[in-house]
Amino acid sequence: MSLAAITENDYTVPALFRGLTIIEMFNSRDRVLTVQDFADHLGVSTSSIYRIVTTLTEMNYLDKVAKNTYQLGPQVISNGFSYLASRDVVDIAMPHLNALRNTVSMSCHLSIREGQEAVYVYRSFASQRLSVNVPIGTRIPCHCSAMGRVLLTGLNDAELDSLYQHVRLDGYSVSAPRTLPELKQTVQQDSMQGWVEHQSDFATAIACALRDHHNQIVAAINVSGPDALMEDPHQKEVVRNALLATAQRISFELGNLRKMSEKIKPR
């Protein structure tokens, strides 16, 4: 919207419009801008925005790096991340998982890690006759579930050692890692792939991570359906792509700007 359009409304404040526009001019490509850049973009003289730039600088929304040259100040980052941190991941993920369920016609779940277990904290249950229904509050060992394995990719080798050094892994399903070295290798492969597929009890789940503004894994989401619905390779690819796109949207709302398509480097 142009300044001319803004000023047609008696209730708008042109100076505020200019100040917010200046902040919005910064992006990943334009990290440092000059007063002349601000003026050219707004179609005004540099003198007419001098007080606005000075005010933004004094309030730490802009940081002066050279004469008439600025970058975003710490106040922008602080306020933005404080707000993002105050939002509960369930509240953010809920509408996205409901939309994903409607798209793929399969149940979707959200989990967080508590110790060695993945705890289900939200489910979007598909109404179809063949549906996977895991109740909220269910706890499943991380190393033998899709979301649990995704959550473990947020840990390094030392953290995995600390978490599993006194835990026996050979009493679970045959498909799960049975030793700590095997678990580490599995986690590394999962991390490089960026998603996990796991089959158990005649159902297949595909899971991936949710990341916050520090690029840390804070939760995992999945799409889970009966093998009869997931055995078609094309259908499985469609579901996986929809899941990854949903995770990217949720992570973006959590403050993560990194593209999900980027490979995660192995530890």
Side-chain angles (χ1 to χ4, degrees), residues 136-166:
I136 295 174
T138 297
R139 292 172 175 266
I140 299 179
C142 284
H143 74 287
C144 55
S145 66
M147 286 198 293
R149 281 167 51 187
V150 165
L151 292 167
L152 291 181
T153 63
L155 305 178
N156 56 37
D157 279 353
E159 291 168 329
L160 286 171
D161 283 335
S162 177
L163 192 62
Y164 284 99
Q165 60 181 340
H166 300 303

Short mmCIF file of all heavy atoms in Angstrom, two decimals, residues 136-166:
data_model
loop_
_atom_site.label_atom_id
_atom_site.label_comp_id
_atom_site.label_asym_id
_atom_site.label_seq_id
_atom_site.Cartn_x
_atom_site.Cartn_y
_atom_site.Cartn_z
N ILE A 136 -3.97 -38.86 22.92
CA ILE A 136 -3.09 -37.86 23.52
C ILE A 136 -2.60 -38.38 24.87
O ILE A 136 -3.37 -38.95 25.65
CB ILE A 136 -3.83 -36.52 23.69
CG1 ILE A 136 -4.19 -35.94 22.33
CG2 ILE A 136 -2.99 -35.54 24.49
CD1 ILE A 136 -5.04 -34.69 22.41
N GLY A 137 -1.32 -38.19 25.15
CA GLY A 137 -0.74 -38.68 26.39
C GLY A 137 -0.01 -39.99 26.23
O GLY A 137 0.73 -40.41 27.14
N THR A 138 -0.20 -40.66 25.09
CA THR A 138 0.50 -41.92 24.84
C THR A 138 2.01 -41.69 24.81
O THR A 138 2.49 -40.69 24.27
CB THR A 138 0.05 -42.53 23.50
OG1 THR A 138 -1.34 -42.83 23.57
CG2 THR A 138 0.82 -43.81 23.19
N ARG A 139 2.74 -42.62 25.41
CA ARG A 139 4.21 -42.55 25.43
C ARG A 139 4.78 -43.77 24.70
O ARG A 139 4.40 -44.90 25.01
CB ARG A 139 4.75 -42.51 26.87
CG ARG A 139 4.40 -41.22 27.62
CD ARG A 139 4.79 -41.32 29.08
NE ARG A 139 4.56 -40.06 29.76
CZ ARG A 139 5.47 -39.11 29.94
NH1 ARG A 139 6.71 -39.30 29.49
NH2 ARG A 139 5.18 -38.00 30.57
N ILE A 140 5.66 -43.51 23.76
CA ILE A 140 6.28 -44.59 22.99
C ILE A 140 7.79 -44.38 23.01
O ILE A 140 8.26 -43.24 22.83
CB ILE A 140 5.77 -44.60 21.53
CG1 ILE A 140 4.26 -44.84 21.50
CG2 ILE A 140 6.49 -45.66 20.71
CD1 ILE A 140 3.66 -44.83 20.11
N PRO A 141 8.58 -45.43 23.26
CA PRO A 141 10.04 -45.28 23.25
C PRO A 141 10.51 -44.63 21.94
O PRO A 141 10.08 -45.05 20.86
CB PRO A 141 10.54 -46.72 23.39
CG PRO A 141 9.45 -47.42 24.13
CD PRO A 141 8.17 -46.81 23.60
N CYS A 142 11.37 -43.66 22.05
CA CYS A 142 11.79 -42.90 20.87
C CYS A 142 12.44 -43.76 19.80
O CYS A 142 12.21 -43.55 18.61
CB CYS A 142 12.76 -41.79 21.28
SG CYS A 142 12.00 -40.36 22.08
N HIS A 143 13.25 -44.73 20.22
CA HIS A 143 14.06 -45.44 19.24
C HIS A 143 13.24 -46.40 18.37
O HIS A 143 13.76 -46.91 17.38
CB HIS A 143 15.19 -46.20 19.93
CG HIS A 143 14.76 -47.43 20.67
ND1 HIS A 143 14.05 -47.37 21.85
CD2 HIS A 143 14.91 -48.75 20.39
CE1 HIS A 143 13.81 -48.59 22.28
NE2 HIS A 143 14.31 -49.45 21.40
N CYS A 144 11.96 -46.65 18.73
CA CYS A 144 11.18 -47.59 17.92
C CYS A 144 9.89 -46.96 17.41
O CYS A 144 8.87 -47.65 17.26
CB CYS A 144 10.89 -48.86 18.71
SG CYS A 144 10.09 -48.62 20.30
N SER A 145 9.91 -45.66 17.14
CA SER A 145 8.77 -44.99 16.51
C SER A 145 9.28 -43.90 15.58
O SER A 145 10.40 -43.39 15.75
CB SER A 145 7.85 -44.37 17.57
OG SER A 145 8.50 -43.31 18.26
N ALA A 146 8.49 -43.55 14.59
CA ALA A 146 8.94 -42.58 13.59
C ALA A 146 9.17 -41.21 14.22
O ALA A 146 10.23 -40.60 14.03
CB ALA A 146 7.90 -42.48 12.47
N MET A 147 8.18 -40.71 14.98
CA MET A 147 8.36 -39.39 15.59
C MET A 147 9.47 -39.41 16.63
O MET A 147 10.23 -38.44 16.77
CB MET A 147 7.05 -38.89 16.20
CG MET A 147 6.03 -38.45 15.17
SD MET A 147 4.71 -37.41 15.86
CE MET A 147 3.87 -38.61 16.91
N GLY A 148 9.58 -40.51 17.38
CA GLY A 148 10.64 -40.61 18.38
C GLY A 148 12.02 -40.55 17.76
O GLY A 148 12.91 -39.85 18.27
N ARG A 149 12.21 -41.25 16.66
CA ARG A 149 13.51 -41.22 15.98
C ARG A 149 13.81 -39.82 15.44
O ARG A 149 14.97 -39.36 15.49
CB ARG A 149 13.55 -42.26 14.87
CG ARG A 149 13.79 -43.67 15.37
CD ARG A 149 13.52 -44.72 14.32
NE ARG A 149 14.20 -44.47 13.06
CZ ARG A 149 14.02 -45.20 11.96
NH1 ARG A 149 13.16 -46.22 11.97
NH2 ARG A 149 14.66 -44.91 10.85
N VAL A 150 12.78 -39.12 14.95
CA VAL A 150 12.98 -37.75 14.50
C VAL A 150 13.44 -36.87 15.67
O VAL A 150 14.36 -36.06 15.54
CB VAL A 150 11.67 -37.19 13.90
CG1 VAL A 150 11.74 -35.66 13.79
CG2 VAL A 150 11.42 -37.79 12.54
N LEU A 151 12.81 -37.04 16.83
CA LEU A 151 13.18 -36.25 17.99
C LEU A 151 14.62 -36.53 18.43
O LEU A 151 15.31 -35.63 18.92
CB LEU A 151 12.21 -36.53 19.14
CG LEU A 151 10.77 -36.03 18.91
CD1 LEU A 151 9.83 -36.62 19.95
CD2 LEU A 151 10.72 -34.51 18.96
N LEU A 152 15.08 -37.75 18.26
CA LEU A 152 16.45 -38.08 18.63
C LEU A 152 17.48 -37.43 17.72
O LEU A 152 18.64 -37.26 18.11
CB LEU A 152 16.65 -39.61 18.63
CG LEU A 152 15.91 -40.39 19.72
CD1 LEU A 152 16.22 -41.89 19.59
CD2 LEU A 152 16.29 -39.89 21.11
N THR A 153 17.09 -37.05 16.50
CA THR A 153 18.05 -36.39 15.60
C THR A 153 18.43 -35.00 16.12
O THR A 153 19.37 -34.40 15.61
CB THR A 153 17.49 -36.26 14.17
OG1 THR A 153 16.31 -35.43 14.18
CG2 THR A 153 17.13 -37.62 13.59
N GLY A 154 17.72 -34.51 17.13
CA GLY A 154 18.09 -33.23 17.73
C GLY A 154 19.20 -33.36 18.76
O GLY A 154 19.62 -32.35 19.34
N LEU A 155 19.67 -34.58 19.00
CA LEU A 155 20.72 -34.83 19.99
C LEU A 155 22.04 -35.18 19.31
O LEU A 155 22.05 -35.79 18.25
CB LEU A 155 20.32 -35.98 20.92
CG LEU A 155 18.97 -35.84 21.65
CD1 LEU A 155 18.70 -37.09 22.49
CD2 LEU A 155 18.94 -34.59 22.51
N ASN A 156 23.15 -34.79 19.94
CA ASN A 156 24.45 -35.19 19.42
C ASN A 156 24.88 -36.51 20.06
O ASN A 156 24.18 -37.07 20.92
CB ASN A 156 25.50 -34.10 19.64
CG ASN A 156 25.64 -33.71 21.11
OD1 ASN A 156 25.55 -34.56 22.00
ND2 ASN A 156 25.84 -32.43 21.37
N ASP A 157 26.05 -37.02 19.68
CA ASP A 157 26.50 -38.32 20.17
C ASP A 157 26.64 -38.34 21.69
O ASP A 157 26.27 -39.32 22.35
CB ASP A 157 27.84 -38.70 19.52
CG ASP A 157 27.66 -39.29 18.13
OD1 ASP A 157 26.49 -39.52 17.74
OD2 ASP A 157 28.66 -39.51 17.44
N ALA A 158 27.19 -37.28 22.26
CA ALA A 158 27.38 -37.22 23.72
C ALA A 158 26.04 -37.26 24.44
O ALA A 158 25.89 -37.92 25.47
CB ALA A 158 28.16 -35.96 24.09
N GLU A 159 25.05 -36.56 23.89
CA GLU A 159 23.72 -36.54 24.50
C GLU A 159 23.04 -37.90 24.37
O GLU A 159 22.35 -38.35 25.29
CB GLU A 159 22.88 -35.44 23.86
CG GLU A 159 23.35 -34.04 24.22
CD GLU A 159 22.71 -32.96 23.37
OE1 GLU A 159 22.39 -33.23 22.20
OE2 GLU A 159 22.56 -31.83 23.87
N LEU A 160 23.24 -38.57 23.23
CA LEU A 160 22.70 -39.92 23.08
C LEU A 160 23.36 -40.89 24.04
O LEU A 160 22.70 -41.76 24.63
CB LEU A 160 22.89 -40.40 21.63
CG LEU A 160 21.97 -39.77 20.58
CD1 LEU A 160 22.42 -40.17 19.18
CD2 LEU A 160 20.52 -40.20 20.80
N ASP A 161 24.67 -40.76 24.23
CA ASP A 161 25.39 -41.60 25.20
C ASP A 161 24.80 -41.43 26.59
O ASP A 161 24.55 -42.39 27.31
CB ASP A 161 26.88 -41.24 25.22
CG ASP A 161 27.64 -41.79 24.03
OD1 ASP A 161 27.18 -42.80 23.45
OD2 ASP A 161 28.67 -41.21 23.67
N SER A 162 24.61 -40.18 26.99
CA SER A 162 24.08 -39.89 28.32
C SER A 162 22.67 -40.43 28.49
O SER A 162 22.30 -40.93 29.56
CB SER A 162 24.11 -38.38 28.56
OG SER A 162 23.54 -38.05 29.81
N LEU A 163 21.87 -40.36 27.44
CA LEU A 163 20.46 -40.75 27.52
C LEU A 163 20.28 -42.26 27.52
O LEU A 163 19.36 -42.79 28.18
CB LEU A 163 19.69 -40.14 26.35
CG LEU A 163 18.17 -40.19 26.38
CD1 LEU A 163 17.62 -39.43 27.59
CD2 LEU A 163 17.59 -39.62 25.09
N TYR A 164 21.17 -42.98 26.82
CA TYR A 164 20.96 -44.42 26.62
C TYR A 164 22.05 -45.32 27.19
O TYR A 164 22.00 -46.53 26.98
CB TYR A 164 20.81 -44.71 25.12
CG TYR A 164 19.47 -44.30 24.56
CD1 TYR A 164 19.31 -43.10 23.88
CD2 TYR A 164 18.35 -45.12 24.71
CE1 TYR A 164 18.07 -42.71 23.38
CE2 TYR A 164 17.11 -44.75 24.21
CZ TYR A 164 16.98 -43.54 23.55
OH TYR A 164 15.75 -43.17 23.05
N GLN A 165 22.99 -44.77 27.93
CA GLN A 165 24.11 -45.60 28.37
C GLN A 165 23.69 -46.74 29.32
O GLN A 165 24.36 -47.77 29.39
CB GLN A 165 25.18 -44.73 29.04
CG GLN A 165 24.71 -43.97 30.28
CD GLN A 165 25.81 -43.12 30.88
OE1 GLN A 165 27.00 -43.36 30.61
NE2 GLN A 165 25.45 -42.13 31.66
N HIS A 166 22.60 -46.56 30.05
CA HIS A 166 22.15 -47.61 30.97
C HIS A 166 20.82 -48.24 30.52
O HIS A 166 20.11 -48.84 31.33
CB HIS A 166 21.99 -47.03 32.38
CG HIS A 166 23.25 -46.45 32.94
ND1 HIS A 166 24.41 -47.19 33.07
CD2 HIS A 166 23.53 -45.19 33.38
CE1 HIS A 166 25.36 -46.42 33.59
NE2 HIS A 166 24.85 -45.20 33.78
#
